[in-house]
Amino acid sequence: LVGIVSRANLLQGLAVKGVAGAAGSADDRSIREALLKALTEEAGVDTAFINVIVDHGAVELWGIVDSDAQKQAAGLLAEEAPGVKSVQNRLSQVPQWIWAE
C-alpha cells in the first residue's frame, strides 16, 4: 500500500486541471515549477506529498510535511517567490505517532 486517495485529493486534482486552462496559466505554471524546486532544494520537503495550486499568482499549498519547521519554510518560500500575490498554507504535519515504534 503506497497511499490512500481521498475525495479531497480528487477535488484538488480537478481544481488544478481547471486552473491549467485559465488565462495567465503560463505564469502560474512557471511559479508552480519554481516553487516545487525551491521546496525540494531549500526546505528539504518531499514534494511527492505536496500539491501546489497557483491561480493568477494566488498560491495554495496542500499536503503533508515532516515538521512544523518545513510547513513554515514552505509558506515563506511561497510568499517570497516572484509573481506570488497571496499564499494559503494548508499543509499538515505528519502525526508523530506514525513514526513511533
Side-chain angles (χ1 to χ4, degrees):
L1 180 67
V2 173
I4 298 172
V5 177
S6 70
R7 185 179 323 167
N9 296 128
L10 295 174
L11 290 174
Q12 288 173 21
L14 290 173
V16 170
K17 184 175 181 181
V19 168
S25 62
D27 290 336
D28 290 343
R29 277 195 298 271
S30 64
I31 291 170
R32 182 178 186 277
E33 290 169 8
L35 187 51
L36 285 169
K37 183 177 180 182
L39 287 171
T40 301
E41 294 176 0
E42 296 178 38
V45 174
D46 185 353
T47 56
F49 301 106
I50 302 295
N51 191 3
V52 177
I53 300 170
V54 183
D55 183 15
H56 294 91
V59 174
E60 288 186 50
L61 302 172
W62 293 85
I64 299 173
V65 292
D66 291 333
S67 67
D68 190 51
Q70 282 188 341
K71 177 181 177 177
Q72 291 176 4
L76 288 173
L77 284 170
E79 289 172 1
E80 295 173 355
V84 173
K85 297 175 184 172
S86 66
V87 176
Q88 298 246 340
N89 190 344
R90 299 170 192 233
L91 295 171
S92 298
Q93 182 180 345
V94 175
Q96 294 302 313
W97 59 265
I98 289 180
W99 305 122
E101 295 183 54

